[in-house]
Amino acid sequence: MSEAGGGRGCGSSVPQRAPWSLVAATAAFCLVSATSVWTAGAAPMSREERQKLGNQVLEMFDHAYGNYMEHAYPADELMPLTCRGRVRGQEPSRGDVDDALGKFSLTLIDSLDTLVVLNKTKEFEDAVRKVLRDVNLDNDVVVSVFETNIRVLGGLLGGHSLAIMLKEKGEYMQWYNDELLQMAKQLGYKLLPAFNTTSGLPYPRINLKFGIRKPEARTGTETDTCTACAGTLILEFAALSRFTGATIFEEYARKALDFLWEKRQRSSNLVGVTINIHTGDWVRKDSGVGAGIDSYYEYLLKAYVLLGDDSFLERFNTHYDAIMRYISQPPLLLDVHIHKPMLNARTWMDALLAFFPGLQVLKGDIRPAIETHEMLYQVIKKHNFLPEAFTTDFRVHWAQHPLRPEFAESTYFLYKATGDPYYLEVGKTLIENLNKYARVPCGFAAMKDVRTGSHEDRMDSFFLAEMFKYLYLLFADKEDIIFDIEDYIFTTEAHLLPLWLSTTNQSISKKNTTSDYTELDDSNFDWTCPNTQILFPNDPLYAQSIREPLKNVVDKSCPRGIIRVEESFRSGAKPPLRARDFMATNSEHLEILKKMGVSLIHLKDGRVQLVQHAIQAASSIDAEDGLRFMQEMIELSSQQQKEQQLPPRAVQIVSHPFFGRVVLTAGPAQFGLDLSKHKETRGFVASSKPYNGCSELTNPEAVMGKIALIQRGQCMFAEKARNIQNAGAIGGIVIDDNEGSSSDTAPLFQMAGDGKDTDDIKIPMLFLFSKEGSIILDAIREYEEVEVLLSDKAKDRDPDMESEEQPSSENDSQDQSAEQITPSSQEVDLVDQESPEESSLNSEPESSSPADTDNAASVSASEQNSNPMENHETTSLDGECTDLDNQLQEQSETEEDSNPNVSWGKKVQPIDSILADWNEDIEAFEMMEKDEL
């Protein structure tokens, strides 16, 4: 998403409904002029440091782009772990994600205008020549209409826009004669058959060679599309019409937008995620600002900016009012039902909503933009990247991160709007994290799991199209860019379209005659360029004052609880007792419990039962502390129960030339050294003989003191482990014998024992699928000596380090799951921490009458003379909380074992509940994949 920043003459308002020529010249970018009005309280960053960071962005782009051109071109995308190109049909299918690939050198086209923004004009000229010489748009391949529009059509138009600009300057592109525009027009005509529906909404996919519904097209039977897929066409299609004079493109895109507007839910003014392209019925009736809808809202506002049509602004303001009324729950943005907008549709958020603060900046609504951006930044500080989805208490819901640029985009626009150097520091953090965790020898690899630091073999084209563009612009001065960025608008893929298109080839009726706008309240619509003195109060601490209450929103997800603790410190009182600190033999703790209305009962079996009666608490605040304490106890019990499961592990290649930058997701074993409780194992790898490891090794001298590689099959995992351990190996990696298997497409599982006592196995054992294992085997063939690190998660690495290992970082807590409970009655059993294998942990909610005023909660625990949770890292209040309104919501995330004999912590739930949860997640994930995943 994005609007180019900048602004001229925005100190006062533009007259209401001014001629669009004036609005295009001023209103589109007035927000950033606030940079000259005031600066925030953070210490300013020196020009030298900004230049240094800008140069670092240039080097990072060169690393990504250079490796794509060297190892992948003319393929669509680079596979940075295996250093080769991703070609549709030659790699295992990833489902809808592959619909962006059309065998048209996607990454090169998507990067064209980025080259100019980064002042790489010679490389741009060479890239244009390659596109004209090599790219074929007539391939027999089914592609996403949405992705092809924003990435390829947008990339060609952005490249054309800057090519004619450079030609006018007289130094570069003097040979250029609108060749990119002719390619864009050709592609536009190839996309038009997708609009052949009764509604005017396009089919989601089309065959570039055969179109729609022909037998050889292999598409045209779909009935549904996402709102963003149908509503994110107007900028590119209108620009194509304005550039070429062929009005049909803008007409088709307008018709699709008109239909979506007519189908909005009239009482809430919200739209759903998925719509039937033939009937117009909403298929998915949840509504938000993330995946499936996001860029629909963006394009309504930007269509007004680019085309000057008041109807688009009316529609955007109507939707925006509904968003702020129902979806915005600062700092959160939660999906709701379009027919019942006061009811949340889910308790998690997806990463694509990170664009929304940037759109709010363009709208001029700065406070909620700062709030949501700060919340997202706190999530990033906790996980290094923004997970694909996270819960309302900021736990990971989907752990992937495909190097999305939306947060960087919003950071850029907030800096341009406020001038606050805080956002430069945010950008600096993004640069550091990319280099530290995502950089690999052949580019930048997407994160497969932000918790473990494992990588995925993908580098999407949008990473080059958007991420480096926004980061460079964030640190660049006006003189660092060879053209005036304020003369352009950014598409959702950050491609540049010139604002002068607003007055070119205007043959489309501006007013939509099919909609009745008399029903809309026009009083709150912004028809003027915001006055920066009003939009940004003359207070150097304005943005900081909005951010400050959100500093701990992730680590302590109960703002009221945070305030209580802070107030108690200021008053000199002790903070509330935390469950993780409780000792049943501590008399002071027992006195605090009594004050909170919590009673302690000694049971005959030696356990201690805690029961809370809220009416017996000394005050309402103490009752709230007691309730929170009881629920922390339940969370600790749930976590203790889950710690009997084994989360994924990491295999990190630390030798030259990888230096820890390649991280492979590995499955754990139920036997051997537990890497979560012991120091990681580091060593060189060696293949065992026999390779299956099912008998005494014939090459013990080769594996002595090393990590042995063995192949799956022909015997039990434990037998393999014993054989390599007897040969002197310090660890083992089992590689799947199913060629082509990958953790990208198959669920990870843990290796089970052989049914016997496995205490004799002392070395760590990890499992890699074939694809991940081949990366190590290929490295051995090329570099002979390969050193790896076996750990519970990837360790921090400095990009410039060669062999020294950084101090290991603490293990991130995994997603915690618990059943929904009512604060009126709670019970949990905690047992001796020294023998978890013998424990029987329970967490069961007891029912109680709503009229019951004697709200009781009980916790049973083993009496201990020391901290009962001393061996466990917990989040307690930091992880989740509740208020007195009984609003505790908890997420469960279950990963199933592909081995039928091994369970990853399955919970007993009604089958209908399980199926409903699965269907919701599957549908939502499919929608995210359609929207740039």
Side-chain angles (χ1 to χ4, degrees):
M1 109 77 200
S2 308
E3 178 64 34
R8 297 181 296 244
C10 292
S12 58
S13 295
V14 174
Q16 184 172 358
R17 299 185 189 249
W20 181 244
S21 58
L22 175 60
V23 178
T26 58
F29 310 109
C30 58
L31 297 179
V32 301
S33 65
T35 304
S36 61
V37 175
W38 62 278
T39 57
M45 183 178 289
S46 67
R47 175 175 171 79
E48 290 73 20
E49 185 173 2
R50 283 189 286 112
Q51 285 182 329
K52 180 180 177 181
L53 290 169
N55 290 334
Q56 197 170 353
V57 174
L58 294 176
E59 186 279 329
M60 293 166 65
F61 174 82
D62 289 341
H63 179 67
Y65 180 76
N67 274 286
Y68 165 75
M69 296 303 296
E70 179 180 353
H71 299 291
Y73 182 79
D76 283 316
E77 290 180 341
L78 169 69
M79 299 173 67
L81 297 183
T82 51
C83 299
R84 68 178 191 271
R86 184 181 296 280
V87 179
R88 188 89 171 262
Q90 295 183 13
E91 300 292 335
S93 173
R94 301 176 299 169
D96 291 348
V97 179
D98 285 338
D99 287 344
L101 311 180
K103 299 182 179 179
F104 35 38
S105 301
L106 176 63
T107 299
L108 181 63
I109 293 177
D110 225 359
S111 305
L112 287 177
D113 50 8
T114 303
L115 289 166
V116 182
V117 172
L118 272 54
N119 200 13
K120 297 180 179 294
T121 48
K122 184 180 183 303
E123 291 88 340
F124 171 73
E125 191 160 3
D126 292 340
V128 172
R129 292 185 186 275
K130 284 185 172 67
V131 169
L132 300 180
R133 182 190 68 202
D134 300 335
V135 172
N136 177 24
L137 298 175
D138 196 40
N139 300 313
D140 180 13
V141 60
V142 176
V143 298
S144 162
V145 173
F146 167 76
E147 298 288 358
T148 304
N149 172 65
I150 65 171
R151 300 202 205 188
V152 185
L153 183 58
L156 293 172
L157 292 173
H160 170 70
S161 299
L162 297 188
I164 58 177
M165 178 274 298
L166 290 172
K167 184 177 182 179
E168 289 176 358
K169 286 182 175 291
E171 184 176 355
Y172 293 96
M173 303 299 294
Q174 297 305 300
W175 54 270
Y176 182 70
N177 193 28
D178 295 348
E179 288 88 351
L180 291 177
L181 180 60
Q182 296 308 312
M183 288 185 68
K185 187 175 181 180
Q186 177 193 0
L187 180 60
Y189 278 118
K190 285 185 171 294
L191 295 179
L192 283 184
F195 293 83
N196 188 21
T197 62
T198 55
S199 66
L201 299 178
Y203 282 95
R205 299 174 186 85
I206 194 168
N207 187 298
L208 288 176
K209 187 176 185 67
F210 298 109
I212 294 284
R213 304 189 70 171
K214 296 178 182 178
E216 57 269 33
R218 306 185 305 283
T219 189
T221 60
E222 302 94 339
T223 59
D224 307 335
T225 192
C226 71
T227 300
C229 298
T232 311
L233 299 159
I234 187 64
L235 291 189
E236 292 84 359
F237 272 50
L240 184 56
S241 288
R242 302 297 175 97
F243 272 129
T244 64
T247 61
I248 188 172
F249 304 109
E250 185 172 345
E251 290 170 355
Y252 274 51
R254 280 177 176 264
K255 184 179 179 182
L257 274 181
D258 291 346
F259 189 84
L260 289 173
W261 171 251
E262 290 296 330
K263 290 299 178 179
R264 76 192 185 282
Q265 211 291 320
R266 297 302 178 101
S267 61
S268 66
N269 282 318
L270 294 173
V271 292
V273 173
T274 312
I275 191 170
N276 186 296
I277 60 177
H278 303 297
T279 66
D281 295 331
W282 290 110
V283 179
R284 279 189 53 193
K285 300 176 183 179
D286 46 317
S287 183
V289 296
I293 303 181
D294 49 1
S295 48
Y296 163 70
Y297 295 132
E298 175 189 355
Y299 269 37
L300 284 178
L301 182 56
K302 291 185 176 181
Y304 168 68
V305 173
L306 183 64
L307 307 178
D309 188 334
D310 293 347
S311 67
F312 292 130
L313 182 61
E314 293 180 40
R315 297 179 193 183
F316 173 79
N317 279 320
T318 301
H319 284 315
Y320 187 78
D321 178 72
I323 291 169
M324 301 309 292
R325 187 186 304 270
Y326 304 120
I327 296 171
S328 177
Q329 301 175 37
L332 310 180
L333 292 164
L334 294 177
D335 287 15
V336 299
H337 295 279
I338 59 175
H339 294 98
K340 297 179 180 179
M342 302 305 293
L343 180 64
N344 287 339
R346 60 171 59 100
T347 56
W348 49 269
M349 296 164 281
D350 66 73
L352 286 169
L353 62 76
F355 90 99
F356 198 67
L359 188 63
Q360 289 179 306
V361 169
L362 179 61
K363 159 73 176 172
D365 199 0
I366 194 70
R367 174 178 285 273
I370 293 174
E371 291 174 336
T372 299
H373 180 275
E374 182 62 25
M375 177 270 292
L376 295 170
Y377 184 44
Q378 297 302 321
V379 174
I380 289 174
K381 285 167 64 173
K382 182 173 184 178
H383 299 293
N384 300 320
F385 298 99
L386 198 61
E388 277 294 79
F390 54 93
T391 63
T392 54
D393 56 359
F394 309 109
R395 291 180 294 177
V396 174
H397 187 66
W398 291 330
Q400 309 98 315
H401 174 75
L403 307 182
R404 293 199 183 278
E406 285 79 12
F407 181 78
E409 170 189 352
S410 288
T411 302
Y412 166 64
F413 290 114
L414 272 169
Y415 175 66
K416 296 298 289 185
T418 66
D420 190 340
Y422 174 83
Y423 296 109
L424 297 177
E425 296 296 333
V426 173
K428 181 179 179 180
T429 298
L430 298 182
I431 292 173
E432 291 172 347
N433 287 351
L434 284 171
N435 278 321
K436 194 171 187 179
Y437 303 109
R439 186 169 182 142
V440 294
C442 283
F444 291 84
M447 307 305 296
K448 184 176 181 63
D449 192 319
V450 298
R451 297 164 298 186
T452 65
S454 58
H455 291 133
E456 191 173 353
D457 201 4
R458 63 184 286 193
M459 187 179 79
D460 292 80
S461 68
F462 55 71
F463 182 59
L464 285 85
E466 302 183 66
M467 180 68 81
F468 297 114
K469 198 174 290 176
Y470 291 127
L471 289 178
Y472 183 74
L473 289 172
L474 176 64
F475 298 105
D477 290 324
K478 190 170 184 178
E479 55 268 25
D480 295 329
I481 306 170
I482 62 175
F483 63 98
D484 193 347
I485 197 73
E486 299 172 8
D487 291 337
Y488 296 82
I489 186 172
F490 280 137
T491 69
T492 195
E493 190 79 1
H495 293 307
L496 293 163
L497 299 176
L499 285 174
W500 53 257
L501 290 175
S502 61
T503 57
T504 303
N505 291 323
Q506 291 179 292
S507 58
I508 306 297
S509 173
K510 286 187 177 181
K511 196 67 175 180
N512 174 22
T513 58
T514 64
S515 298
D516 180 10
Y517 289 100
T518 59
E519 66 188 73
L520 304 177
D521 180 9
D522 196 23
S523 60
N524 293 320
F525 289 177
D526 294 328
W527 294 103
T528 61
C529 177
N531 186 313
T532 55
Q533 297 295 336
I534 299 174
L535 186 60
F536 311 109
N538 191 19
D539 178 3
L541 299 178
Y542 175 67
Q544 181 182 345
S545 67
I546 298 174
R547 291 192 302 265
E548 197 61 35
L550 302 171
K551 287 295 185 183
N552 298 316
V553 69
V554 172
D555 289 334
K556 299 179 180 179
S557 56
C558 296
R560 286 192 290 176
I562 297 170
I563 295 172
R564 279 270 296 112
V565 172
E566 291 176 347
E567 288 178 348
S568 66
F569 275 121
R570 285 195 295 267
S571 63
K574 294 183 178 180
L577 178 64
R578 306 293 295 274
R580 65 188 179 195
D581 300 326
F582 172 68
M583 289 185 291
T585 56
N586 188 310
S587 59
E588 184 179 356
H589 287 181
L590 298 179
E591 188 64 30
I592 296 174
L593 292 186
K594 183 178 180 181
K595 188 178 179 182
M596 296 189 298
V598 179
S599 303
L600 183 145
I601 303 173
H602 292 271
L603 303 179
K604 292 181 179 181
D605 59 6
R607 292 180 301 158
V608 174
Q609 185 180 50
L610 302 177
V611 181
Q612 186 202 22
H613 301 275
I615 60 174
Q616 295 180 5
S619 67
S620 60
I621 293 179
D622 290 314
E624 182 179 357
D625 289 339
L627 180 61
R628 186 176 297 113
F629 173 84
M630 299 298 289
Q631 290 172 349
E632 286 183 25
M633 272 294 187
I634 291 175
E635 176 63 25
L636 295 184
S637 172
S638 174
Q639 180 174 344
Q640 181 185 25
Q641 196 169 17
K642 291 190 67 177
E643 284 176 353
Q644 297 180 51
Q645 307 169 186
L646 299 177
R649 305 299 189 215
V651 175
Q652 193 169 8
I653 306 179
V654 297
S655 55
H656 172 83
F658 305 97
F659 302 133
R661 298 189 185 105
V662 173
V663 183
L664 308 174
T665 300
Q670 293 180 328
F671 52 84
L673 185 71
D674 187 349
L675 292 169
S676 68
K677 298 179 181 179
H678 300 82
K679 186 178 179 182
E680 67 277 355
T681 298
R682 176 171 177 164
F684 289 93
V685 295
S687 296
S688 61
K689 293 182 181 180
Y691 190 32
N692 59 32
C694 291
S695 60
E696 183 179 349
L697 267 59
T698 60
N699 63 334
E701 69 287 345
V703 301
M704 174 74 70
K706 296 183 180 180
I707 296 172
L709 302 179
I710 42 184
Q711 188 177 48
R712 181 185 183 184
Q714 301 184 32
C715 65
M716 302 294 288
F717 291 121
E719 184 177 349
K720 298 175 187 288
R722 291 189 180 98
N723 287 331
I724 63 172
Q725 179 175 273
N726 292 338
I730 62 174
I733 298 175
V734 178
I735 299 177
D736 194 8
D737 59 347
N738 182 14
E739 187 174 354
S741 65
S742 168
S743 62
D744 294 340
T745 56
L748 213 59
F749 67 92
Q750 51 184 328
M751 295 182 286
D754 54 6
K756 305 175 184 178
D757 186 0
T758 55
D759 289 345
D760 59 314
I761 301 176
K762 305 296 184 183
I763 62 175
M765 295 290 295
L766 296 182
F767 176 86
L768 290 178
F769 282 107
S770 173
K771 180 180 176 182
E772 285 79 10
S774 65
I775 294 176
I776 294 182
L777 296 175
D778 290 344
I780 293 175
R781 281 190 285 270
E782 185 167 355
Y783 302 106
E784 294 186 1
E785 291 195 344
V786 175
E787 188 178 16
V788 301
L789 187 73
L790 311 184
S791 61
D792 61 331
K793 62 173 289 186
K795 304 305 174 185
D796 293 350
R797 291 274 158 181
D798 187 289
D800 298 325
M801 73 176 298
E802 294 185 357
S803 60
E804 248 182 70
E805 184 180 347
Q806 295 292 327
S808 60
S809 59
E810 289 187 315
N811 181 25
D812 281 352
S813 60
Q814 299 296 312
D815 283 339
Q816 304 168 17
S817 64
E819 297 179 17
Q820 188 169 357
I821 59 174
T822 60
S824 59
S825 180
Q826 302 156 351
E827 180 176 308
V828 64
D829 294 329
L830 301 179
V831 300
D832 192 348
Q833 303 299 310
E834 295 180 0
S835 54
E837 68 278 2
E838 299 175 359
S839 63
S840 175
L841 293 159
N842 302 301
S843 179
E844 299 178 344
E846 294 181 358
S847 61
S848 61
S849 168
D852 183 8
T853 58
D854 187 14
N855 293 336
S858 65
V859 175
S860 297
S862 297
E863 273 191 85
Q864 300 173 1
N865 294 324
S866 60
N867 184 351
M869 303 305 292
E870 63 185 354
N871 295 325
H872 298 275
E873 179 184 351
T874 65
T875 56
S876 56
L877 179 58
D878 299 346
E880 55 183 298
C881 60
T882 187
D883 57 29
L884 291 180
D885 296 324
N886 190 20
Q887 295 296 318
L888 177 65
Q889 297 186 4
E890 301 180 310
Q891 283 291 323
S892 292
E893 188 174 270
T894 302
E895 293 177 311
E896 291 207 359
D897 187 352
S898 62
N899 184 337
N901 298 321
V902 182
S903 170
W904 278 82
K906 299 175 183 175
K907 296 174 64 178
V908 178
Q909 297 182 32
I911 189 65
D912 291 341
S913 173
I914 294 174
L915 290 176
D917 291 344
W918 283 359
N919 287 334
E920 178 188 3
D921 282 358
I922 289 171
E923 289 176 3
F925 193 73
E926 287 175 348
M927 298 315 302
M928 290 186 70
E929 287 181 330
K930 292 178 182 179
D931 197 83
E932 285 194 0
L933 182 61

